[in-house]
Amino acid sequence: MSESRVTSRGGSACGREHFPLASPMLDDPRPFYARARRDEPVFWSDSLGLWVVTRYEDVCAVAKDASRFSSLDSITPKAATAPPPPELLAELMKGYPLLPSLVDSDPPIHTRGRALVTKALSLRRLAAFEPILRDIAERLVDDFLTKGHVELVHAFAIALPGNFIVDLLGLPREHLDQVDRWTTNSTAVFAGQDPLPSLLEHAKGFVAFQHYLADAIEDRRKNPRDDALSDIVTGAAALDPPFGVAELVNMLLQILFAGYETTAGLIAAAALELARDPELFAAARKDPGIIPSIVEEVLRTASPIHAMYRTALEDVEIGGVHIKKGERLQIAYISANHDEARFEEPLRFDLRRTAPNLAFGHGIHYCIGAPLARLEGRIALEVLTQRLPGLRLVPGQKLTYFPSATARRLESLELAWD
């Protein structure tokens, strides 16, 4: 733990300036978190109404301690005890209730759900994924290769894991664009940062997404087939007690979000790194064997999951700060992944690092899909480096990031090649 210090709720410099979903933090949060780690490693955020934990050691301590820190509501800054506005609640009531699932649950609910998905994403399936992923990646590049330029986020970074996850679940590939729009709606509803009229529109999309998934679940109950969704539905029916439709809908929402939105952030960030570093690109093109190291360093520096949330189940001290039972915490993975005490010169992109990062979390909620994400990242970079010689940034573009309480992804990335 960090040295003992006194920090109060509200009034601190870091607490007043902590706005992770707005510029300048949204553009680049690293300078802010570097100052926080030095001056206030655990501070009260006035904007979010919770404690922010910034150092690697402290983030690990919270993430792995499921007995003292609950993962309920772990994907949103706001606890479920804070009800949405009546108009928004009325719209959400048209769908299925928001129940704890894989990411935002504690044992034993978490244990039951994780076992289902672990089976669906087994190493047996993973061994067969590589040729499928490579075929998708090659075909996506075929679509824009001769143009000499592309907006890569939607044409490739989202499309590669997106096409794969809908294939894995057995959903029609032509539904991916709609699923992506619905996922955006879901993210906006959970973030809760938009004006009420916008939130109401997002809620309508979120409810439509829920009903779409419920229909797919019912179809698999009647007509199981060889896909991961059938495995999940069949396995859920065999549990005692069995999972209901609402529980499965919530699980699928998280699988889809984690299955492509976060991997899209990884691929886009990796493409950006290669496009602005010609020497790194040339090295990866010449020796694809270094690409797994590139993926790992991008996971650290970009941190596609930048933060998660916990609730203290008892009075506890973290980093010398007393946190009361029931208070909320943000564990800032992107800050922990740049902690100078763990990573020497953390702003330097260094393929020789050996210390493990926290891009996939820590403890019982360590990401089930980590092997798949690493595989997708490796294949994406192998295809991009071999097929797009001289990859570079299109001049004059402003890089912006999608505002999310948990995920960090470029909104667009314009690239050109020889």
Side-chain angles (χ1 to χ4, degrees):
M1 297 292 178
S2 307
E3 69 274 14
S4 180
R5 61 182 67 233
V6 176
T7 300
S8 60
R9 284 182 51 164
S12 73
C14 287
R16 290 193 303 268
E17 298 170 22
H18 184 245
F19 296 98
L21 300 184
S23 296
M25 272 199 72
L26 182 61
D27 303 325
D28 185 0
R30 295 173 302 174
F32 172 89
Y33 284 124
R35 178 161 58 91
R37 288 191 302 273
R38 183 185 67 243
D39 298 338
E40 298 179 81
V42 179
F43 66 87
W44 179 263
S45 168
D46 293 349
S47 65
L48 298 184
L50 47 67
W51 296 99
V52 179
V53 184
T54 64
R55 289 182 176 174
Y56 186 99
E57 178 187 3
D58 295 334
V59 168
C60 282
V62 174
K64 73 180 182 182
D65 192 349
S67 64
R68 295 196 297 170
F69 298 97
S70 170
S71 292
L72 292 175
D73 305 309
S74 66
I75 56 178
T76 174
K78 297 181 180 180
T81 52
E87 305 95 321
L88 182 59
L89 181 61
E91 195 61 49
L92 293 173
M93 290 286 287
K94 298 176 184 177
Y96 290 86
L98 300 178
L99 301 176
S101 191
L102 294 169
V103 178
D104 56 346
S105 65
D106 298 320
I109 293 174
H110 169 260
T111 309
R112 281 159 44 90
R114 189 177 179 94
L116 280 179
V117 180
T118 299
K119 180 180 178 182
L121 293 177
S122 66
L123 292 178
R124 175 185 64 82
R125 284 188 182 273
L126 192 65
F129 291 164
E130 179 157 355
I132 300 171
L133 283 163
R134 195 172 297 279
D135 179 66
I136 295 172
E138 295 282 2
R139 285 190 287 105
L140 289 171
V141 172
D142 286 342
D143 289 341
F144 56 75
L145 178 65
T146 59
K147 297 176 183 178
H149 62 87
V150 72
E151 192 289 289
L152 193 86
V153 171
H154 291 86
F156 189 81
I158 288 176
L160 173 57
N163 275 295
F164 180 74
I165 197 67
V166 297
D167 280 357
L168 179 68
L169 292 173
L171 304 175
R173 189 176 286 182
E174 59 269 23
H175 292 179
L176 176 60
D177 287 345
Q178 181 61 68
V179 168
D180 183 49
R181 288 191 290 271
W182 282 333
T183 300
T184 300
N185 295 145
S186 307
T187 301
V189 168
F190 286 126
Q193 300 294 310
D194 291 353
L196 182 58
S198 296
L199 285 177
L200 289 173
E201 289 303 310
H202 289 308
K204 291 177 183 177
F206 176 60
V207 168
F209 196 12
Q210 289 182 309
H211 285 292
Y212 171 82
L213 294 174
D215 290 343
I217 291 165
E218 187 59 32
D219 177 64
R220 294 311 186 281
R221 283 179 170 171
K222 296 177 180 177
N223 307 294
R225 60 194 75 164
D226 185 20
D227 58 36
L229 180 52
S230 295
D231 287 352
I232 291 170
V233 171
T234 302
L239 294 175
D240 184 20
F243 274 16
V245 174
E247 292 169 298
L248 287 171
V249 165
N250 281 275
M251 178 181 289
L252 290 178
L253 286 167
Q254 292 189 6
I255 291 172
L256 282 160
F257 179 83
Y260 86 91
E261 178 65 32
T262 55
T263 307
L266 162 63
I267 294 172
L272 173 62
E273 197 67 43
L274 290 169
R276 62 186 177 189
D277 188 340
E279 291 186 4
L280 181 64
F281 179 87
R285 182 175 168 85
K286 181 179 180 181
D287 178 13
I290 71 170
I291 286 178
S293 296
I294 294 175
V295 168
E296 208 60 32
E297 186 67 342
V298 169
L299 285 167
R300 182 190 72 83
T301 58
S303 298
I305 292 294
H306 67 85
M308 296 293 279
Y309 302 86
R310 297 290 188 269
T311 303
L313 296 174
E314 59 184 63
D315 286 6
V316 64
E317 184 177 295
I318 293 290
V321 174
H322 181 74
I323 295 170
K324 297 179 181 178
K325 178 181 179 180
E327 290 186 326
R328 301 271 288 157
L329 303 89
Q330 180 194 75
I331 44 178
Y333 288 130
I334 194 168
S335 177
N337 282 336
H338 289 83
D339 189 340
E340 300 82 354
R342 183 72 174 180
F343 305 100
E344 185 178 357
E345 296 183 58
L347 296 181
R348 186 181 77 244
F349 195 86
D350 187 351
L351 303 186
R352 298 167 297 176
R353 296 190 192 277
T354 57
N357 61 68
L358 298 179
F360 293 113
H362 191 64
I364 66 170
H365 285 281
Y366 184 83
C367 179
I368 300 172
L372 175 58
R374 287 186 168 106
L375 177 64
E376 290 174 317
R378 174 173 65 80
I379 290 172
L381 297 196
E382 287 174 356
V383 171
L384 292 177
T385 51
Q386 294 305 309
R387 300 202 62 192
L388 305 180
L391 191 69
R392 58 191 178 274
L393 292 173
V394 172
Q397 64 182 299
K398 177 176 172 55
L399 299 177
T400 58
Y401 287 83
F402 184 73
S404 167
T406 55
R408 180 166 176 80
R409 171 179 62 76
L410 283 163
E411 290 191 300
S412 65
L413 180 63
E414 300 283 347
L415 299 179
W417 53 91
D418 296 338

